[in-house]
Amino acid sequence: MTDSRLHVDWTACDGRGMCVELLPELLAADDWGYPVPLDGRREPVVPAHLVGPARRAVNQCPMLALRLLGRPAN
Amino acid sequence: MSVSVDTSTRPGVTAPAGRNRLLGSGASDLASHDRRHGALPRFGSGGRLIGEVADAGLTGRGGAGFPTHRKMAEVAAGRDVVVVANAAEGEPASAKDRTLLAYAPHLVLDGLQLAAEAVAARHVHIYLRRSATAGVRAALAERHAARWDRLPVVVHTAPDTFVSGEESAVVAAVSGRRAVPADRLRRVSEVGVNGAPTLVQNVETLAHLGLIARHGPAWFRRQGTADEPGTFLATVGGAVASPGVYEAPYGIRLADAIALAGGPAAPLRAVLVGGFHGGWVPAAPDLPVSRAGLAAYGATPGAGVMIALDTATCGLAEAARIVGYLAAQSAGQCGPCVNGLPRLAETLAALARPRCDSRLAVEVERLATVVTGRGACRHPDSTGRLARSTLRAFAEDVTAHLSGRCVARRAR
Amino acid sequence: MVDALWYLARGTGVVSLALLTVVVVLGVGTRAARPVFGLPRFAVGLVHRNAALMAVALLTIHVVSLLFDPYAQLRLVDVVVPFDAAYRPLWVGLGTLGCELLVALVATSLVRHRLGRRTWRAVHWLAYAAWPVAWLHALGTGTDRGETWLRTVAGICAAAVVAAVAWRAGNGRVFADRRPAPVAAEGIHYGGNR
């Protein structure tokens, strides 16, 4: 497993907060419950050892707003 | 070394001299346009026109300033390519696109046909405001009758919203959906209108393309700077004598740009460059209006909007009003934008009041960070950037407001 | 043996109703965007799904045991064609309908990533139809109709679902609504400067 990146479809995200609970190393919640990438990127990098929890987060999101994409740009 | 094969040379057709290239052409009917500029040149799809555009150094005039030849080359690799001329002009302070369409529609439509030919497009669209539709339809009818156009152009009406001109919103609207930004997994040059590779170009960019195709890259580079060649259309407004749309070369001194609009109507404090998604610069007369010149202030020429602020107007209040407008113009799709921008507007409005809290400035910075990079489009990012630029440009005002005074009020 | 089937059918039926009630309440609960009944948000979603899958398993036993129970007079065709059974056709028909709705809900949810958000959510609205159908079926079918204990259980389930739906129809949101808050474009004045 290599590093991946997490893509948030902001038009679908409703700030339900499950992803923030499942990926506390990568995401925090803003004032309104929407996820904030802790690394400051638009698509936070998911290191190899967190790909499992990230997949769970993608699976759990009730709005289907998350996607796990391939290798990060840099 | 590229030389444009000008199959249209006829007596009387000379390359526009001076800075009024687009606005000096004044040919709203096809016959005058033909006399002034000559027939539509042919380049085929072998990349020759893209090469000319690359040599000319043409960049997008819609605000982002992306090198046009790169956008064209990316899309040319695809099949069933679509080209869209974007004249949505969602920015209320901008009037250049509708002015250009009224004044020289055939230059724009020429550029559209040339771009379509260069990328071997199958479908061509123009996306514009309701007020400009009649004129453009008339121009298209003329061209159809004279068999001037190679591909038919489909006309789409853009809603009067700020975000309607955003690239993915344009693609959505032309595809028949609501004109709001969409989640982007793939670039528009790969998947755009109805899933096809799409080239979206601002109408001013296309007009310049229409002239480059006739007069070559060397001519284009006679105006502007080496790094930022050519002219651009500036909508100059605010505290100026004759607000309006004027043409200027990149690198023009700020004072000269203001002078085009009749000069300042009152002593100036600052100028908002790049429109509502731009940044504030001090009213320094020698400041060059170019990417290089404005970079120090975190601003870019954008789509050419310049709003002059006089010394008697409170910059914080003005900025709060603008951010309030931008907040209301959110497409309403993304949480951070829908929630964050109104809060940002309220906070700036509170800063614009006397005896405000010192923590408000910190809160503005925090909110600007919170909304950045967390939405389907850059509307929240650019609004946050404007808020930050406001704090930097009017730091003196913030200090004054904290103790109940206002710099602007004193200047009256 | 026949008695055993009778108890199995009734037991799995009632427990399924209770599970489906949990499913609906927690499904509504995901909108709260905060822990519900002490469950963290991701657990609300997980229990919602697992309870639904458990309900499907129990309902399979419920239907199979009834197929083998001679007193139920349930034919195989009644499992798919509603309102045509020999015994209490209306109430049994509701059960058939409820099962089919549940199968649609669960099947689409299992492949939701492939279906796409719009389609999946559109079908998922059927949950608001499936639960009342199941509830009515529970009250009207079977030999326990009219029994106090059944009515009590059904009453509690109904109260829970009504409360959840009322909450959702009203506020239904902890944080600010998604509609942009209207902010006047004009009107920011400061001491007559403008």
Side-chain angles (χ1 to χ4, degrees), chain C residues 35 47 77 81 83 90 92 100 114 119 132 143-144 159 172:
Chain C
V47 176
V77 67
V81 178
F83 310 118
L90 171 66
V92 169
E100 288 175 339
R114 250 178 278 262
T119 316
T143 49
D144 295 304

PDB file of all heavy atoms in Angstrom, chain C residues 35 47 77 81 83 90 92 100 114 119 132 143-144 159 172:
ATOM      1  N   PRO C  35     -22.831  12.800  18.582  1.00  0.00           N
ATOM      2  CA  PRO C  35     -23.122  11.477  19.162  1.00  0.00           C
ATOM      3  C   PRO C  35     -24.586  11.333  19.575  1.00  0.00           C
ATOM      4  O   PRO C  35     -25.192  12.257  20.118  1.00  0.00           O
ATOM      5  CB  PRO C  35     -22.199  11.422  20.373  1.00  0.00           C
ATOM      6  CG  PRO C  35     -21.075  12.314  20.017  1.00  0.00           C
ATOM      7  CD  PRO C  35     -21.652  13.414  19.183  1.00  0.00           C
ATOM      8  N   VAL C  47     -24.206   0.974  13.479  1.00  0.00           N
ATOM      9  CA  VAL C  47     -25.314   0.252  14.111  1.00  0.00           C
ATOM     10  C   VAL C  47     -26.539   0.306  13.196  1.00  0.00           C
ATOM     11  O   VAL C  47     -27.280  -0.676  13.071  1.00  0.00           O
ATOM     12  CB  VAL C  47     -25.628   0.830  15.510  1.00  0.00           C
ATOM     13  CG1 VAL C  47     -26.839   0.146  16.118  1.00  0.00           C
ATOM     14  CG2 VAL C  47     -24.422   0.669  16.424  1.00  0.00           C
ATOM     15  N   VAL C  77     -45.725 -17.992  -3.660  1.00  0.00           N
ATOM     16  CA  VAL C  77     -46.075 -16.831  -4.473  1.00  0.00           C
ATOM     17  C   VAL C  77     -46.456 -15.630  -3.590  1.00  0.00           C
ATOM     18  O   VAL C  77     -46.228 -14.480  -3.968  1.00  0.00           O
ATOM     19  CB  VAL C  77     -47.224 -17.196  -5.451  1.00  0.00           C
ATOM     20  CG1 VAL C  77     -48.508 -17.477  -4.679  1.00  0.00           C
ATOM     21  CG2 VAL C  77     -47.431 -16.098  -6.451  1.00  0.00           C
ATOM     22  N   VAL C  81     -45.899 -11.752  -4.275  1.00  0.00           N
ATOM     23  CA  VAL C  81     -47.103 -11.062  -4.733  1.00  0.00           C
ATOM     24  C   VAL C  81     -47.960 -10.708  -3.519  1.00  0.00           C
ATOM     25  O   VAL C  81     -48.463 -11.592  -2.830  1.00  0.00           O
ATOM     26  CB  VAL C  81     -47.921 -11.954  -5.700  1.00  0.00           C
ATOM     27  CG1 VAL C  81     -49.186 -11.241  -6.126  1.00  0.00           C
ATOM     28  CG2 VAL C  81     -47.076 -12.329  -6.912  1.00  0.00           C
ATOM     29  N   PHE C  83     -51.071  -9.169  -1.087  1.00  0.00           N
ATOM     30  CA  PHE C  83     -52.526  -9.044  -1.018  1.00  0.00           C
ATOM     31  C   PHE C  83     -53.292 -10.163  -1.710  1.00  0.00           C
ATOM     32  O   PHE C  83     -54.454  -9.980  -2.053  1.00  0.00           O
ATOM     33  CB  PHE C  83     -53.000  -7.684  -1.568  1.00  0.00           C
ATOM     34  CG  PHE C  83     -52.255  -6.520  -0.976  1.00  0.00           C
ATOM     35  CD1 PHE C  83     -51.499  -5.682  -1.784  1.00  0.00           C
ATOM     36  CD2 PHE C  83     -52.266  -6.286   0.399  1.00  0.00           C
ATOM     37  CE1 PHE C  83     -50.801  -4.616  -1.238  1.00  0.00           C
ATOM     38  CE2 PHE C  83     -51.557  -5.216   0.957  1.00  0.00           C
ATOM     39  CZ  PHE C  83     -50.826  -4.381   0.128  1.00  0.00           C
ATOM     40  N   LEU C  90     -54.929  -8.805   3.389  1.00  0.00           N
ATOM     41  CA  LEU C  90     -54.473  -7.415   3.497  1.00  0.00           C
ATOM     42  C   LEU C  90     -53.232  -7.315   4.380  1.00  0.00           C
ATOM     43  O   LEU C  90     -52.206  -6.767   3.983  1.00  0.00           O
ATOM     44  CB  LEU C  90     -55.594  -6.543   4.066  1.00  0.00           C
ATOM     45  CG  LEU C  90     -55.166  -5.101   4.429  1.00  0.00           C
ATOM     46  CD1 LEU C  90     -54.783  -4.327   3.191  1.00  0.00           C
ATOM     47  CD2 LEU C  90     -56.270  -4.382   5.192  1.00  0.00           C
ATOM     48  N   VAL C  92     -51.189  -9.677   5.558  1.00  0.00           N
ATOM     49  CA  VAL C  92     -50.029 -10.436   5.067  1.00  0.00           C
ATOM     50  C   VAL C  92     -49.425  -9.713   3.879  1.00  0.00           C
ATOM     51  O   VAL C  92     -48.211  -9.638   3.715  1.00  0.00           O
ATOM     52  CB  VAL C  92     -50.443 -11.882   4.684  1.00  0.00           C
ATOM     53  CG1 VAL C  92     -49.325 -12.582   3.941  1.00  0.00           C
ATOM     54  CG2 VAL C  92     -50.839 -12.666   5.922  1.00  0.00           C
ATOM     55  N   GLU C 100     -40.340  -6.402   0.487  1.00  0.00           N
ATOM     56  CA  GLU C 100     -39.804  -5.975  -0.811  1.00  0.00           C
ATOM     57  C   GLU C 100     -39.149  -4.611  -0.709  1.00  0.00           C
ATOM     58  O   GLU C 100     -38.080  -4.364  -1.273  1.00  0.00           O
ATOM     59  CB  GLU C 100     -40.922  -5.982  -1.857  1.00  0.00           C
ATOM     60  CG  GLU C 100     -41.295  -7.411  -2.226  1.00  0.00           C
ATOM     61  CD  GLU C 100     -42.480  -7.511  -3.156  1.00  0.00           C
ATOM     62  OE1 GLU C 100     -43.276  -6.552  -3.221  1.00  0.00           O
ATOM     63  OE2 GLU C 100     -42.609  -8.561  -3.800  1.00  0.00           O
ATOM     64  N   ARG C 114     -21.571   2.391  -6.431  1.00  0.00           N
ATOM     65  CA  ARG C 114     -21.670   2.184  -7.876  1.00  0.00           C
ATOM     66  C   ARG C 114     -22.887   2.880  -8.442  1.00  0.00           C
ATOM     67  O   ARG C 114     -22.892   3.350  -9.566  1.00  0.00           O
ATOM     68  CB  ARG C 114     -21.745   0.681  -8.185  1.00  0.00           C
ATOM     69  CG  ARG C 114     -20.510   0.131  -8.849  1.00  0.00           C
ATOM     70  CD  ARG C 114     -20.654  -1.354  -9.073  1.00  0.00           C
ATOM     71  NE  ARG C 114     -20.335  -2.106  -7.876  1.00  0.00           N
ATOM     72  CZ  ARG C 114     -19.153  -2.684  -7.648  1.00  0.00           C
ATOM     73  NH1 ARG C 114     -18.209  -2.595  -8.555  1.00  0.00           N
ATOM     74  NH2 ARG C 114     -18.927  -3.348  -6.540  1.00  0.00           N
ATOM     75  N   THR C 119     -29.200   8.520  -7.173  1.00  0.00           N
ATOM     76  CA  THR C 119     -30.079   7.360  -7.277  1.00  0.00           C
ATOM     77  C   THR C 119     -30.257   6.702  -5.919  1.00  0.00           C
ATOM     78  O   THR C 119     -31.374   6.399  -5.502  1.00  0.00           O
ATOM     79  CB  THR C 119     -29.481   6.317  -8.253  1.00  0.00           C
ATOM     80  OG1 THR C 119     -29.003   6.997  -9.397  1.00  0.00           O
ATOM     81  CG2 THR C 119     -30.509   5.286  -8.633  1.00  0.00           C
ATOM     82  N   PRO C 132     -43.674   2.233   8.288  1.00  0.00           N
ATOM     83  CA  PRO C 132     -45.098   2.157   8.642  1.00  0.00           C
ATOM     84  C   PRO C 132     -45.768   0.895   8.118  1.00  0.00           C
ATOM     85  O   PRO C 132     -46.645   0.340   8.778  1.00  0.00           O
ATOM     86  CB  PRO C 132     -45.711   3.394   7.971  1.00  0.00           C
ATOM     87  CG  PRO C 132     -44.603   4.242   7.558  1.00  0.00           C
ATOM     88  CD  PRO C 132     -43.366   3.427   7.501  1.00  0.00           C
ATOM     89  N   THR C 143     -51.506 -14.261  15.151  1.00  0.00           N
ATOM     90  CA  THR C 143     -52.387 -14.651  16.242  1.00  0.00           C
ATOM     91  C   THR C 143     -52.247 -13.742  17.457  1.00  0.00           C
ATOM     92  O   THR C 143     -53.038 -13.814  18.390  1.00  0.00           O
ATOM     93  CB  THR C 143     -52.085 -16.094  16.668  1.00  0.00           C
ATOM     94  OG1 THR C 143     -50.661 -16.196  16.835  1.00  0.00           O
ATOM     95  CG2 THR C 143     -52.516 -17.072  15.581  1.00  0.00           C
ATOM     96  N   ASP C 144     -51.230 -12.897  17.464  1.00  0.00           N
ATOM     97  CA  ASP C 144     -51.057 -12.007  18.620  1.00  0.00           C
ATOM     98  C   ASP C 144     -51.779 -10.684  18.452  1.00  0.00           C
ATOM     99  O   ASP C 144     -51.629  -9.784  19.275  1.00  0.00           O
ATOM    100  CB  ASP C 144     -49.562 -11.731  18.848  1.00  0.00           C
ATOM    101  CG  ASP C 144     -48.823 -12.987  19.239  1.00  0.00           C
ATOM    102  OD1 ASP C 144     -49.235 -13.613  20.229  1.00  0.00           O
ATOM    103  OD2 ASP C 144     -47.842 -13.332  18.545  1.00  0.00           O
ATOM    104  N   ALA C 159     -43.664   5.611  19.018  1.00  0.00           N
ATOM    105  CA  ALA C 159     -43.263   6.845  19.706  1.00  0.00           C
ATOM    106  C   ALA C 159     -41.844   7.242  19.306  1.00  0.00           C
ATOM    107  O   ALA C 159     -41.561   8.414  19.043  1.00  0.00           O
ATOM    108  CB  ALA C 159     -43.358   6.651  21.217  1.00  0.00           C
ATOM    109  N   GLY C 172     -33.773  19.520  12.948  1.00  0.00           N
ATOM    110  CA  GLY C 172     -33.022  18.492  12.235  1.00  0.00           C
ATOM    111  C   GLY C 172     -31.562  18.816  11.991  1.00  0.00           C
ATOM    112  O   GLY C 172     -30.897  18.172  11.229  1.00  0.00           O
TER     113      GLY C 172
END
